[in-house]
Amino acid sequence: MPAPRLKPADHQALGKRQRALHDLHRTATHVNMRLQETPMSVRVANLTRGRLQNNAVKFMPGTRDGLVINGGGFQGKTETACDAAASFEDVWHEVHHQLLPGRTPGTRDVFVPVAYCRLPVRATPQGLCKAILNVHGDPHPGTLDDLVRAVRDAIRGHHTIALLIDDVTRLRLHREDDQDTLDLIRELMDLNVTLILIGVDIPGSGLLRGAYVDPRTGQWLFPDPEAKHGKSHHTAAAAAQTGRRFDIVDLDPFDYSTPAGIAAFLDHLAGIEDQLRLLRSFTGMLTTGEMPEYLYDRTRGIVGLLRRLIEDGSTKAITSGEERLTPELLARTTIQLGDHSDLDPDAGEVPEIPQNVTPPKQSKERRKRGRNAVFDDRGERPAAGD
């Protein structure tokens, strides 16, 4: 639950311990802001949910069309894909419970309609198999053939109909292990599971090498790996397939060069502003004056960088007593991405952070007017237009 909104006078009236608890609650609110839809994420989410629903109720034989979600680091690809998959999973659980009502207390739920995993930084077929088995809580056999067989048994046995594999651009196709891992990923589509691959700059990564666009459908078609390499982890199933189809959808940063892009960015900032619990915040704190352009310059419209800047800036605003966000305060705030030891910078998973962005200059009258509006004696937020 978000922290309640307090006026400065009400916050000051709290006891020392209650103020500390309220400040902690505000910090928890700022670092757990809800996922906000953007025009870019809506497009990706709608395509993801539609693909999952269509494939889930398709009972004819054959592979299920997959989906590739492409974008830069910290663009929100994983959050968007997982949120869409989770909403589908909720619906599918309801269908499952209608068909098989009732539960057995003390037993483990083996129904896993959606599974999400990440490729290890140094991917191998064994590593991918173990990551998938970890999702299902199943043991790891000792040999690769047994691991692949266990993965197939787990997907079938747990009725998994959607498999999300993140960080696929960690694959370096000059390595034989990476080529084998990519072949294994494609072959998993033989299990009538919807495969959703998530990665950074997939068209430029080489993962589409050998694939071509089907002029009839506009989809990417991956040739059968057995036809290309003369081998397969599951020969009978692979030989029966002519290819594996994927749609590619891009999740881009905000565009600040068009009126529609600027309006979408301002709407996003307004949504963030509504979630902040700074004592001296005011309507338009993030959306008026030079602030929107400054925030865009600092983050290049990348959602993840914007979130980290607002989080850390809000912490600085609380600890310094300023209790509002300004370009000057944010200029003193370094965007910290935290521990990204589990990310691969070479795969583009860590974005370049804009440097040496100076806050916009304001006129003396504007600074005075803004200061008086925010720090009035009553501690009230100014009305719109003040």
Side-chain angles (χ1 to χ4, degrees), residues 17 49 74 77 103 128 152 174 180 255 263 293 305 313 319 323 373 381:
R17 182 173 182 272
R49 281 191 291 263
F74 282 71
K77 301 181 300 299
R103 298 169 178 165
L128 175 59
R152 295 180 177 276
H174 63 277
D180 291 342
D255 178 17
E293 186 172 349
L305 296 185
T319 56
E323 291 291 348
R381 288 196 280 179

Side-chain angles (χ1 to χ4, degrees), residues 22-285:
H22 181 68
D23 290 347
L24 179 60
H25 196 175
R26 291 196 290 154
T27 299
T29 301
H30 296 157
V31 300
N32 291 287
M33 289 186 287
R34 66 180 180 272
L35 178 65
Q36 294 189 144
E37 290 185 338
T38 67
M40 303 81 73
S41 68
V42 167
R43 183 178 67 252
V44 173
N46 288 342
L47 181 58
T48 301
R49 281 191 291 263
R51 180 58 47 83
L52 292 176
Q53 292 175 0
N54 289 348
N55 288 350
V57 297
K58 186 180 295 183
F59 301 110
M60 64 182 64
T63 60
R64 302 294 182 251
D65 291 350
L67 184 64
V68 173
I69 300 177
N70 176 65
F74 282 71
Q75 298 277 43
K77 301 181 300 299
T78 299
E79 279 187 314
T80 301
C82 287
D83 185 69
S87 64
F88 161 77
E89 185 178 34
D90 290 339
V91 173
W92 204 244
H93 267 289
E94 291 298 324
V95 174
H96 179 74
H97 291 152
Q98 289 179 14
L99 298 175
L100 298 172
R103 298 169 178 165
T104 304
T107 62
R108 180 171 174 265
D109 187 1
V110 298
F111 181 54
V112 186
V114 176
Y116 166 87
C117 66
R118 300 174 63 189
L119 275 183
V121 173
R122 186 175 179 85
T124 63
Q126 293 92 330
L128 175 59
C129 288
K130 291 177 181 178
I132 296 173
L133 291 173
N134 286 340
V135 175
H136 296 91
D138 290 354
H140 303 166
T143 66
L144 176 58
D145 288 342
D146 289 339
L147 280 168
V148 174
R149 189 178 300 110
V151 167
R152 295 180 177 276
D153 291 343
I155 291 176
R156 291 193 183 101
H158 293 279
H159 303 282
T160 300
I161 56 178
L163 176 62
L164 284 68
I165 302 179
D166 205 348
D167 301 327
V168 295
T169 39
R170 290 177 174 180
L171 295 174
R172 305 286 192 272
L173 297 185
H174 63 277
R175 297 174 54 242
E176 185 175 357
D177 279 344
D178 289 12
Q179 296 175 15
D180 291 342
T181 303
L182 182 59
D183 288 344
L184 174 60
I185 290 173
R186 295 173 184 171
E187 291 173 25
L188 291 175
M189 296 178 71
D190 299 338
L191 300 175
N192 292 338
V193 61
T194 301
L195 204 59
I196 298 179
L197 307 181
I198 308 169
V200 176
D201 188 23
I202 290 177
S205 67
L207 297 180
L208 303 181
R209 188 171 59 196
Y212 60 93
V213 178
D214 188 333
R216 297 172 302 170
T217 64
Q219 294 177 308
W220 285 84
L221 182 62
F222 291 84
D224 191 331
E226 174 161 297
K228 183 177 180 180
H229 297 293
K231 61 181 180 179
S232 172
H233 294 293
H234 194 58
T235 305
Q241 305 300 330
T242 59
R244 294 155 178 83
R245 296 180 181 273
F246 285 85
D247 284 300
I248 298 181
V249 59
D250 294 316
L251 186 58
D252 300 316
F254 282 100
D255 178 17
Y256 208 73
S257 62
T258 65
I262 294 174
F265 188 60
L266 292 177
D267 286 343
H268 190 75
L269 294 181
I272 293 176
E273 182 183 297
D274 183 62
Q275 300 182 68
L276 298 179
R277 295 299 187 265
L278 299 176
L279 300 179
R280 302 186 186 276
S281 62
F282 58 95
T283 302
M285 181 177 65

